[in-house]
Amino acid sequence: GNSVTQMEGPVTLSEEAFLTINCTYTATGYPSLFWYVQYPGEGLQLLLKATKADDKGSNKGFEATYRKETTSFHLEKGSVQVSDSAVYFCALKPGGSEKLVFGKGTKLTVNP
Amino acid sequence: DAGVIQSPRHEVTEMGQEVTLRCKPISGHNSLFWYRQTMMRGLELLIYFNNNVPIDDSGMPEDRFSAKMPNASFSTLKIQPSEPRDSAVYFCASSHLPIEKLFFGSGTQLSVL
């Protein structure tokens, strides 16, 4: 089946620290991969995506590379800000399907 | 654009009562998705519509749950009768198909006492 596994949270960092949130997936075929972010009291928003192997998605200083050989799509940011505090969700869309499969989310707190 | 609009934002009800959640998708989007979010199970897809037609309702937990989309600008998710284990945040999302980006509403926090 299709599934996404994210690192357990919560993650707490100081401002300007380096961020990595691990995500691995299991899927049949060639899925598209996504990172969504959820700020408190809001719905999820697309942060970045990659549709094929070796693609790098990037947005707002975040980036993730689609690694087919390791079935991974880890999220990174070089220097986090307090405003990055949110819950981050890794997701996949299997080829030929419109049903996104989400990981359980990782809560990030950035302290000043 | 106003985005995906959900109502109510919060709903508190007693076990056995009927609950109706409402969603207005982004104008022009041809697909609509209902998700449920809980701490234990994360985000689960309940049902999705394409051009107002239900395409996949395999995620609807049981017959107490029903969803309708009478037109392109409105959808409802109904729970009858509600139970405490239905307590969760329910999200509506819309998109063009094939999905490049899902647009989520702010959710309805449902508490069934």
Side-chain angles (χ1 to χ4, degrees):
Chain A
N2 300 300
S3 65
V4 174
T5 302
Q6 289 181 236
M7 64 186 286
E8 293 280 331
V11 174
T12 303
L13 296 173
S14 297
E15 207 163 23
E16 299 183 3
F18 183 86
L19 169 71
T20 300
I21 300 178
N22 290 337
C23 171
T24 57
Y25 67 90
T26 302
T28 53
Y30 303 96
S32 297
L33 301 175
F34 306 84
W35 277 100
Y36 278 79
V37 58
Q38 183 180 28
Y39 299 103
E42 299 183 11
L44 282 71
Q45 306 172 24
L46 179 65
L47 180 60
L48 53 85
K49 67 179 182 183
T51 56
K52 62 182 187 297
D54 300 325
D55 269 2
K56 178 185 284 188
S58 61
N59 186 26
K60 299 180 181 179
F62 292 89
E63 56 182 37
T65 301
Y66 188 141
R67 300 285 188 202
K68 192 170 188 296
E69 63 277 12
T70 55
T71 62
S72 65
F73 193 55
H74 304 320
L75 182 68
E76 296 182 335
K77 186 175 185 182
S79 175
V80 293
Q81 306 300 312
V82 172
S83 57
D84 294 327
S85 298
V87 182
Y88 292 82
F89 292 86
C90 186
L92 69 84
K93 186 169 82 79
S97 170
E98 300 302 329
K99 295 169 65 171
L100 265 68
V101 176
F102 286 88
K104 290 201 168 181
T106 302
K107 183 175 182 179
L108 169 67
T109 301
V110 180
N111 295 319
Chain B
D1 198 320
V4 177
I5 299 173
Q6 291 187 247
S7 64
R9 284 300 305 269
H10 303 275
E11 177 80 35
V12 180
T13 190
E14 292 187 347
M15 184 173 63
Q17 296 298 304
E18 177 180 295
V19 175
T20 300
L21 311 181
R22 296 172 176 79
C23 176
K24 177 179 168 55
I26 291 173
S27 177
H29 282 179
N30 60 0
S31 63
L32 183 141
F33 300 76
W34 282 101
Y35 282 88
R36 178 171 68 177
Q37 184 180 40
T38 61
M39 290 293 292
M40 289 295 296
R41 301 171 69 96
L43 265 170
E44 303 172 277
L45 177 64
L46 300 177
I47 185 171
Y48 83 92
F49 296 82
N50 185 32
N51 293 325
N52 313 336
V53 176
I55 301 301
D56 189 324
D57 65 355
S58 58
M60 296 286 262
E62 47 197 276
D63 291 346
R64 297 185 297 108
F65 286 69
S66 62
K68 294 182 179 179
M69 192 164 186
N71 57 63
S73 58
F74 184 66
S75 177
T76 59
L77 178 67
K78 186 176 293 187
I79 308 172
Q80 165 64 15
S82 58
E83 296 182 3
R85 60 194 169 113
D86 302 330
S87 298
V89 180
Y90 291 81
F91 287 103
C92 175
S94 70
S95 176
H96 296 291
L97 288 187
I99 295 176
E100 294 293 326
K101 179 177 179 180
L102 261 183
F103 293 80
F104 282 80
S106 297
T108 295
Q109 174 80 59
L110 173 64
S111 298
V112 183
L113 306 177

